[in-house]
Amino acid sequence: MYQAIVALPLLGFLVVGLFGTPLGAKASEYITCGFMVIAALLSWVAFFSVGFGDAETFTVPVMRFIESGSLQADWALRVDTLTVVMLVVVNTVSALVHIYSVGYMHHDPDRPRFFAYLSLFTFAMLMLVTADNLVQMFFGWEGVGLASYLLIGFWYKKPSANAAAIKAFVVNRIGDFGFLLGIFGVFVLFGSVQLDTIFANAAAYLPAAEAAAAGQGGEAVLNFLGYSLDRQAALTVVCLLLFMGAMGKSAQVPLHTWLPDAMEGPTPVSALIHAATMVTAGVFMLARLSPLFELSHSALTVVIFVGAFTAFFAATVGLVQNDIKRVIAYSTCSQLGYMFVALGLGFYSAAIFHLFTHAFFKALLFLGSGSVIHAVSDEQDMRRMGGLRTLIPYTYWMMIIGTLALTGVGIPGTIIGTAGFFSKDAIIEGAFVGHNAMAGFAFILLVLAACFTSFYSWRLIFMTFHGTPRAGHDVMHHVHESPMVMLVPLFILAAGALFAGVVFFEPFIGEAYASFWKTALFTLPDNHILHDIHEVPFGVKLAPFLAMLIGLGVSYQFYIRSPETPRNLARYHGSLYRFLLNKWYFDELFDWLFVRPAKRLGTFLWKSGDGRLIDGLGPDGISARVIDVTNRVVRLQTGYLYHYAFVMLIGVAALVTWMMFGGPL
């Protein structure tokens, strides 16, 4: 069964990728969608059999891969609760995105290529989450990066799509370089890339960690950038390098700049990237390697800080964005920050719980925005929408449900609430009771981010669906509801956005935690966060609820009751507005620090180094000298007989002179 779950998307990619043109678009859609639906159903079977059964972690061998000295890495599927949770997330969302794309991409002439890329994307992510060793994980990691490049730049005739694809690829290479160094470091420290071996040997680091905490230090085990590191310092450096890879894939500051530009791809691509595949890879990787990260308090502190800052930063930028997809993109960036805060707190189950629920409502919001864009003739600027509530009612209510889940609507202290209410509030409460020095800082920023999230989410609803229409008459005349092939996936995702939280709260972070997760996640014995979150003061539980209400109230005031207020604020506080609209000038800063110097250096090396030095003194210089000499020799060939006779006489005179003064031969 597990081989089929992983192989079916690959089979769909190979069949449609190789034979899509002769098969035709319809057959390509049926093949890829059919394989994905089967894989999704099998994933749910695996989820209930492993998560709610008695099965411990086991491995399904596939084939031998690498064997070189002490380095061994086979292709095998590691199956535990964490794996089956990710299988459900990836394959469910991917199957729904495949079906949705049948309607959304109906007029695109390159549908076979699109569906082949979607299946390749899914297969790469499945390789990552089922990895039994770090080499296989890196293979899936890079496969996801390749597939994202292909899908973001799917409309390759569009310059902005090509630029966005290249940007995503390059920025992720920066993070991937850190991830690769981290894998090298793990191999040096533990002598293996097999997860079981690494986790078994990690227990030996506990005494070393305690010794380092007591100031006893230890012998050097790793040289990095000229520094000799003891066991504790080496492990911290390795964890930070691994986290660098997660920062790139999961769009954490400062490696977040690719994520909003990824909206240049088709909307189903945005849903797949943001809800189930690429951006969740970093969260999964840290949860999978929890036995390593738990041994480095410093690394976990960095994870909390970066996650909290990213959650706050992205929420502030989302306040003023006008592109409907970019608003949701920055929401993804912010919610990933929540997940990393939970990871840094050692609250791994809450991070995966939020990843699980977030997949439903974020896919719902992206596909819902695609339905809006489909209805208004591919317009994405919310300033040119409005008044769509009665024209596309199904899409409107699906977006409402997604917004309720994203903003965490629910009644504190009860089991009444949407999916985000259970998962996001649990992370905020975990930050309140966390023992890390950065936990209080994270709690404040996460509550502020919750307020901003509510504001920009309801701002999207009010600007898009309420008020008077701001689109042209021709656009409004053609507004229509999406076909059922696009709406049915929305209905299914809406059910998850409403009920996934209450249904799965107990196994993920409640009383059934131990029997559900078994040994899939590792937390140090002195980390009592799972127990402490159930005893937080009611005021703490109320904080995200009040933040949500404040964001909703201010948004309603700004965009329903007094639409001129936002314009006045933007005019009176122009510097702040431009600061947020330009995303804290991160792109401009990186352009000034890295892009322009790199271009200047490249131009210098191209013209001075390559052109003048290498080519000038090398092939171009030699050929120029040869041509110069031959041109001079050519001048001797005049074609006049008296010139040749004159040269012959000079030669005879020279010969006679040499014979006269040179002596006998």
Side-chain angles (χ1 to χ4, degrees):
M1 176 175 70
Y2 298 98
Q3 294 98 323
I5 292 174
V6 176
L8 284 173
L10 175 62
L11 182 61
F13 161 70
L14 292 175
V15 172
V16 175
L18 295 174
F19 309 107
T21 301
L23 286 173
K26 278 294 179 186
S28 299
E29 293 168 351
Y30 289 144
I31 291 170
T32 53
C33 291
F35 285 164
M36 281 312 310
V37 169
I38 295 171
L41 294 175
L42 292 176
S43 298
W44 280 100
V45 173
F47 175 75
F48 285 106
S49 64
V50 174
F52 296 94
D54 298 327
E56 295 288 344
T57 301
F58 61 93
T59 301
V60 180
V62 179
M63 65 176 64
R64 300 183 69 174
F65 185 36
I66 295 176
E67 188 170 340
S68 176
S70 59
L71 175 62
Q72 291 186 340
D74 295 336
W75 182 9
L77 311 180
R78 180 185 179 88
V79 181
D80 58 12
T81 305
L82 180 58
T83 302
V84 295
V85 168
M86 294 303 298
L87 290 180
V88 163
V89 169
V90 173
N91 283 331
T92 301
V93 173
S94 182
L96 295 175
V97 167
H98 273 73
I99 295 171
Y100 177 93
S101 300
V102 172
Y104 190 87
M105 302 294 290
H106 178 69
H107 298 294
D108 196 285
D110 297 316
R111 278 178 289 167
R113 179 166 60 91
F114 179 77
F115 281 89
Y117 287 170
L118 284 184
S119 293
L120 175 63
F121 202 173
T122 307
F123 167 71
M125 189 65 188
L126 294 176
M127 283 289 293
L128 195 159
V129 301
T130 59
D132 187 49
N133 57 76
L134 293 179
V135 173
Q136 182 182 333
M137 185 182 292
F138 188 73
F139 175 82
W141 193 273
E142 292 302 301
V144 169
L146 169 64
S148 67
Y149 170 79
L150 295 174
L151 283 168
I152 295 170
F154 176 76
W155 289 321
Y156 57 86
K157 295 181 180 179
K158 187 178 175 184
S160 58
N162 280 327
I166 293 172
K167 186 176 183 179
F169 195 80
V170 171
V171 172
N172 273 276
R173 295 293 71 72
I174 298 171
D176 294 354
F177 179 68
F179 184 40
L180 192 59
L181 290 179
I183 294 175
F184 294 159
V186 169
F187 183 73
V188 170
L189 296 182
F190 299 103
S192 177
V193 293
Q194 293 293 133
L195 295 181
D196 284 335
T197 305
I198 294 169
F199 298 159
N201 294 339
Y205 269 76
L206 281 170
E210 294 169 357
Q216 298 177 20
E219 62 176 341
V221 296
L222 181 69
N223 290 319
F224 183 72
L225 297 179
Y227 294 93
S228 296
L229 306 176
D230 62 20
R231 293 168 69 86
Q232 186 63 39
L235 188 62
T236 296
V237 168
V238 168
C239 288
L240 290 176
L241 289 171
L242 294 171
F243 177 56
M244 182 177 171
M247 290 170 65
K249 275 289 182 290
S250 295
Q252 298 297 285
V253 174
L255 301 181
H256 67 284
T257 53
W258 68 270
L259 192 65
D261 291 347
M263 299 303 98
E264 292 293 338
T267 300
V269 173
S270 305
L272 194 56
I273 290 177
H274 287 245
T277 53
M278 187 164 176
V279 298
T280 63
V283 178
F284 166 80
M285 187 262 285
L286 261 65
R288 173 60 82 202
L289 300 179
S290 56
L292 299 185
F293 279 86
E294 278 294 288
L295 304 182
S296 176
H297 180 78
S298 300
L300 292 178
T301 301
V302 173
V303 173
I304 294 176
F305 174 79
V306 172
F309 182 76
T310 301
F312 175 78
F313 153 76
T316 62
V317 175
L319 297 174
V320 297
Q321 296 300 306
N322 296 309
D323 186 302
I324 187 171
K325 289 172 62 178
R326 285 180 179 265
V327 174
I328 306 173
Y330 277 105
S331 168
T332 299
C333 193
S334 182
Q335 297 306 305
L336 289 166
Y338 278 84
M339 299 176 204
F340 278 102
V341 168
L343 292 168
L345 294 168
F347 201 3
Y348 301 100
S349 58
I352 301 301
F353 186 33
H354 195 46
L355 184 156
F356 182 79
T357 60
H358 177 264
F360 290 104
F361 58 75
K362 187 51 57 71
L364 176 61
L365 287 170
F366 265 115
L367 297 185
S369 69
S371 184
V372 172
I373 295 167
H374 182 266
V376 294
S377 305
D378 297 327
E379 179 59 66
Q380 294 184 200
D381 194 328
M382 296 185 298
R383 293 171 296 183
R384 300 190 181 95
M385 298 181 187
L388 300 176
R389 176 168 54 93
T390 58
L391 300 176
I392 46 176
Y394 290 120
T395 299
Y396 170 70
W397 285 109
M398 294 303 101
M399 292 289 285
I400 287 288
I401 292 174
T403 300
L404 292 173
L406 173 61
T407 56
V409 173
I411 302 176
T414 71
I415 60 170
I416 301 174
T418 57
F421 167 75
F422 289 93
S423 59
K424 186 169 71 174
D425 286 18
I427 295 175
I428 294 175
E429 293 166 15
F432 180 80
V433 301
H435 300 297
N436 192 289
M438 201 62 65
F441 169 80
F443 173 76
I444 294 172
L445 289 192
L446 293 187
V447 172
L448 290 174
C451 180
F452 296 157
T453 299
S454 179
F455 175 84
Y456 67 66
S457 298
W458 289 108
R459 172 179 177 264
L460 184 152
I461 295 294
F462 296 147
M463 289 184 68
T464 303
F465 296 101
H466 292 263
T468 58
R470 296 180 295 276
H473 176 73
D474 291 341
V475 173
M476 295 303 297
H477 179 71
H478 291 95
V479 171
H480 58 284
E481 187 61 272
S482 299
M484 289 307 294
V485 72
M486 294 172 62
L487 292 177
V488 169
L490 299 184
F491 299 154
I492 297 173
L493 291 169
L498 287 174
F499 303 115
V502 66
V503 171
F504 295 104
F505 175 83
E506 286 299 324
F508 273 84
I509 59 175
E511 298 296 331
Y513 169 90
S515 62
F516 179 74
W517 288 106
K518 304 177 183 68
T519 59
L521 301 176
F522 176 81
T523 305
L524 288 177
D526 60 351
N527 191 336
H528 304 296
I529 194 169
L530 269 169
H531 174 268
D532 294 343
I533 62 164
H534 299 294
E535 299 181 359
V536 297
F538 185 73
V540 175
K541 292 180 177 292
L542 203 60
F545 177 75
L546 294 177
M548 179 271 297
L549 287 181
I550 292 172
L552 170 60
V554 174
S555 183
Y556 181 80
Q557 174 67 25
F558 278 16
Y559 296 98
I560 298 297
R561 295 189 61 186
S562 179
E564 70 279 358
T565 301
R567 291 189 289 270
N568 293 334
L569 281 175
R571 186 167 58 252
Y572 295 147
H573 303 282
S575 298
L576 177 61
Y577 176 73
R578 288 190 296 272
F579 179 71
L580 297 179
L581 189 65
N582 287 284
K583 302 153 291 189
W584 291 34
Y585 293 102
F586 269 105
D587 282 299
E588 289 78 5
L589 176 63
F590 291 160
D591 186 64
W592 180 71
L593 284 176
F594 303 113
V595 177
R596 292 182 185 177
K599 283 186 175 180
R600 287 195 293 268
L601 177 62
T603 301
F604 171 77
L605 293 176
W606 165 40
K607 293 190 174 180
S608 299
D610 189 40
R612 296 176 186 172
L613 184 63
I614 297 176
D615 287 344
L617 299 180
D620 288 351
I622 294 174
S623 65
R625 299 292 77 76
V626 170
I627 292 173
D628 183 55
V629 171
T630 54
N631 285 337
R632 294 178 183 274
V633 171
V634 163
R635 294 177 184 174
L636 298 176
Q637 306 296 325
T638 62
Y640 294 108
L641 184 62
Y642 58 86
H643 284 171
Y644 301 144
F646 179 70
V647 171
M648 291 175 64
L649 288 175
I650 292 176
V652 170
L655 180 61
V656 170
T657 303
W658 181 77
M659 292 177 67
M660 290 175 62
F661 296 100
L665 293 175

